[in-house]
Amino acid sequence: MNQNNMKKSIFLSVFFLLIINLIGFAQELPSAPSPFKLYNNLSNEMPDFLNDIEANQLEQSLRAFDDSTGNQILVLVIDDLLGYSPEEYATSIGESWGVGQEDKDNGIVFLIKPTGGQGERETFIAIGEGLEGAIPDAVTWTIINSEVIPSFKEGDFSKGVNNGVNVLIDLANGEYSSEEYAENAGGGNGGLWFAGIFLIFWLLAYFFARK
């Protein structure tokens, strides 16, 4: 192969790789509902993740929190992450849907993917920077593992969601600190340490998986 053909081959290879990457990441996120709702079930596989009564009660609770504080919690149920990590998906939804007040960045996205096989189901809580002082990232893992997942495993999705939402509301309102919550939920300060270590391992696993 002469030099010109080699350069042409390399160029075409790089071009096709770029096209493949663009296609892989070009899947659009769902649009915000109109009228805007704070509980949204977009799952086709689990349309009754919450029944109508549970969904209405949750919506009212989230609305009351929004009206009284200006902080917003969006609960979103999906089937497919569309190639995004849970963190990327939740954060992008928060930005594109305008969750919380833009000047305060006080939105929370509670993302739930209840479908798929073992290791494919995901729960993630994305916290806006304006609330990170009250709800650090490490504490969101404690909330998920202590409040949400145990009820999900029992098939009580309403209880799991409401448990998580109630803790988020209490922390945002300053009913107790994140340290106090982690100590009670995790049996001492080890709870927060465990959550922090878990978060570090998750981020490392995600980083190496993307390479």
Side-chain angles (χ1 to χ4, degrees), residues 67-86:
D67 291 341
S68 63
T69 67
N71 301 322
Q72 277 189 341
I73 300 174
L74 176 82
V75 178
L76 180 61
V77 183
I78 61 170
D79 288 328
D80 192 344
L81 289 167
L82 304 175
Y84 295 88
S85 71

Side-chain angles (χ1 to χ4, degrees), residues 18-33:
L18 287 172
I19 292 297
I20 290 170
N21 283 330
L22 286 172
I23 292 173
F25 289 97
Q27 299 186 71
E28 291 187 6
L29 293 168
S31 300

Side-chain angles (χ1 to χ4, degrees), residues 44-75:
N44 293 317
E45 295 183 42
M46 296 187 68
D48 297 321
F49 180 77
L50 299 183
N51 63 41
D52 290 343
I53 294 175
E54 293 167 342
N56 288 333
Q57 289 175 340
L58 177 60
E59 182 72 26
Q60 290 174 12
S61 176
L62 297 173
R63 286 284 176 191
F65 176 59
D66 181 10
D67 291 341
S68 63
T69 67
N71 301 322
Q72 277 189 341
I73 300 174
L74 176 82
V75 178

Side-chain angles (χ1 to χ4, degrees), residues 164-184:
V165 166
N166 289 338
V167 173
L168 291 170
I169 289 175
D170 287 347
L171 287 170
N173 287 337
E175 297 293 333
Y176 39 79
S177 69
S178 58
E179 291 82 4
E180 290 170 332
Y181 167 72
E183 185 174 352
N184 290 327

